[in-house]
Amino acid sequence: WDLIRCKTKFDKLCCGKLIYRVKSSMGKRTKISTVCYSPNGREFTCGTICGSIQIWNATKLKSRPDKVIYDAHDGKNIAIHSIVYNREGTQIASRCMEDDKVKVWVTRTLSRSAKPFMICHGLKSQYEYSNSSFSQDGKFICAGTSIDKSKSSNLTNKQDYGQLKIFKIESNTNGNTRTDPIITVNIALGINVVTSLWHKRLNQIFLGLSDGSIRIYYHPECSTKGALIPVSKGVRKIDELSLLLASRAPTGSAGISMDSIQTPHALPLFRDPERNTKRKRTKERQDPIKSKRPDLPGTGIKVGESSSAGLNFQQYNLTSAIHKNKNIAGIDPRDELFKFNEGKSYTKVPYDGDIKILAEKTIEEEEQEEDEKQNR
């Protein structure tokens, strides 16, 4: 979808020409479970429900992906639930919920016969949208785990804690060997870690838990801003005298603060400002003077661009003509026509009976009579 150059119809975005059809190893269409764009925006990687990881060119439409690997997590039809890039875009990390692993791949050498650069084990997950995240420099990768329900429900067991595991990505790592985490943190008892995000600028780890809460983990020296701002302020210390006075403070009507003198009958000039309550705001809102409500516009048809509240003569005539509600049911329309026949006679000859005498004599006749009078 191109949000800038794409056309719209009926206020809805039209589909562009870049339509990618993802297929499985058998050449059949398959469903996409996750998509992630590279940092440079030139390519994107998608994971499918058949277990393939495919890298497509985002600038040019092609019928086949540039790079693809099928059965990435050692099994057919094992869906890929998460794919993330590192900051440089040279590596991707894929996570599958069924095999409890996170595999790191090199995008440059990704092919059908490629092997993972690194495999992180022991990442139990119960959610399809569980992910992993690279560090700021790309040397570490972190992921959260869920509680293992298959084991005993002993709360003292570490598996009953939602954990955060951090792995180190080394250059001499063999993908076939088991990679253990360098740091394991117990997050919460009986709560799963669903998502994780290693912030690239703040250098802090954000965790989303199954109870709806968010936790932030930081390093006091390597992290910048973020969670360090409220932590640096600290909690305000309360001395013992303040606690003693607060415990002996009167309650009810006797608990009036003595910081200010209460004068309910003072003159308006010396009266303290009233409290802005909801009831007062509602009452002032209904007052047109205090709320400074503008004049209501005039109703009916508006002719011209005048903003007058009243109606002029032309608007009044148009409004009265439209709002006339005449009940014409059962009325002969000829009766309405006969009203215009009053004082008129309609004959066979056109305009017969409606002849009006404009003058009794013509101009020649009047001039002839004047000449005869002068001759006499």
Side-chain angles (χ1 to χ4, degrees):
W1 301 89
D2 192 348
L3 300 179
I4 300 176
R5 293 174 292 180
C6 193
K7 299 180 180 180
T8 58
K9 290 184 179 180
F10 303 104
D11 297 333
K12 292 185 178 180
L13 194 65
C14 299
C15 184
K17 297 182 180 179
L18 298 178
I19 301 177
Y20 299 86
R21 293 175 175 86
V22 182
K23 298 181 181 180
S24 62
S25 59
M26 303 297 293
K28 298 181 180 180
R29 291 187 180 181
T30 183
K31 295 181 180 180
I32 299 174
S33 55
T34 180
V35 177
C36 181
Y37 259 89
S38 63
N40 56 14
R42 298 178 181 177
E43 63 183 17
F44 66 90
T45 305
C46 60
T48 63
I49 60 174
C50 64
S52 64
I53 299 175
Q54 304 180 15
I55 300 178
W56 293 78
N57 190 348
T59 59
K60 186 177 180 181
L61 181 62
K62 295 182 180 180
S63 60
R64 295 181 180 180
D66 295 344
K67 301 171 184 178
V68 61
I69 179 172
Y70 298 102
D71 302 331
H73 280 258
D74 302 332
K76 294 184 178 180
N77 299 327
I78 297 180
I80 308 297
H81 296 109
S82 173
I83 290 179
V84 292
Y85 274 88
N86 63 351
R87 192 171 185 179
E88 291 78 14
T90 57
Q91 295 177 347
I92 58 174
S94 62
R95 184 172 184 178
C96 180
M97 186 181 65
E98 298 183 10
D99 62 351
D100 303 339
K101 297 178 183 178
V102 171
K103 293 186 178 182
V104 180
W105 307 84
V106 180
T107 57
R108 182 174 55 85
T109 60
L110 187 68
S111 62
R112 296 191 178 185
S113 60
K115 294 183 180 181
F117 181 76
M118 174 183 174
I119 301 177
C120 304
H121 296 265
L123 298 174
K124 183 71 176 178
S125 175
Q126 301 177 7
Y127 304 92
E128 294 182 352
Y129 37 86
S130 296
N131 64 341
S132 57
S133 182
F134 284 95
S135 62
Q136 185 179 14
D137 53 1
K139 297 181 180 180
F140 302 91
I141 186 172
C142 68
T145 63
S146 302
I147 299 173
D148 191 359
K149 293 184 178 181
S150 61
K151 296 186 178 182
S152 60
S153 60
N154 186 12
L155 297 181
T156 59
N157 192 352
K158 291 184 179 180
Q159 296 297 331
D160 294 328
Y161 285 84
Q163 296 178 344
L164 171 65
K165 294 184 178 182
I166 300 176
F167 300 84
K168 185 177 182 180
I169 302 176
E170 298 179 357
S171 58
N172 56 354
T173 303
N174 187 6
N176 296 327
T177 60
R178 183 182 180 89
T179 304
D180 296 327
I182 58 174
I183 298 176
T184 301
V185 182
N186 293 333
I187 304 302
L189 182 64
I191 299 176
N192 302 324
V193 179
V194 182
T195 58
S196 60
L197 174 63
W198 199 318
H199 202 281
K200 301 300 184 292
R201 294 183 179 180
L202 304 180
N203 199 16
Q204 299 173 8
I205 300 176
F206 295 78
L207 301 179
L209 307 184
S210 59
D211 61 347
S213 61
I214 299 176
R215 296 195 178 187
I216 305 175
Y217 290 83
Y218 63 94
H219 193 276
E221 297 179 359
C222 300
S223 301
T224 57
K225 297 184 179 180
L228 294 178
I229 296 176
V231 172
S232 60
K233 295 180 180 179
V235 182
R236 184 179 179 182
K237 297 182 180 181
I238 303 177
D239 55 353
E240 297 180 357
L241 180 59
S242 300
L243 294 174
L244 179 62
L245 295 176
S247 62
R248 296 184 179 183
T251 58
S253 59
I256 300 176
S257 177
M258 300 304 294
D259 297 338
S260 60
I261 301 175
Q262 304 296 328
T263 55
H265 303 290
L267 295 174
L269 180 62
F270 306 101
R271 192 175 300 170
D272 295 334
E274 299 181 359
R275 295 178 56 188
N276 190 8
T277 60
K278 183 179 180 181
R279 182 179 298 178
K280 182 182 178 181
R281 290 195 301 268
T282 305
K283 188 176 180 180
E284 291 180 353
R285 185 65 178 171
Q286 297 176 356
D287 190 356
I289 299 176
K290 292 185 178 181
S291 61
K292 298 180 181 179
R293 185 180 64 185
D295 296 336
L296 298 177
T299 58
I301 299 176
K302 291 294 183 183
V303 179
E305 299 181 355
S306 60
S307 59
S308 175
L311 297 176
N312 54 27
F313 181 73
Q314 185 179 4
Q315 293 171 352
Y316 173 75
N317 290 336
L318 291 174
T319 306
S320 60
I322 291 177
H323 291 286
K324 280 184 179 179
N325 186 12
K326 292 184 178 181
N327 187 8
I328 61 173
I331 299 177
D332 191 356
R334 291 176 293 182
D335 296 339
E336 297 293 332
L337 296 176
F338 289 153
K339 293 180 180 181
F340 298 94
N341 195 20
E342 297 177 358
K344 299 179 182 180
S345 61
Y346 297 91
T347 58
K348 296 181 180 179
V349 182
Y351 303 103
D352 188 12
D354 292 338
I355 299 175
K356 295 182 179 180
I357 300 174
L358 300 178
E360 295 179 355
K361 296 179 181 180
T362 61
I363 298 175
E364 291 78 3
E365 293 177 350
E366 290 180 356
E367 291 178 353
Q368 187 177 359
E369 288 181 359
E370 291 180 359
D371 294 340
E372 290 177 357
K373 289 179 180 180
Q374 291 178 359
N375 296 330
R376 292 176 184 177

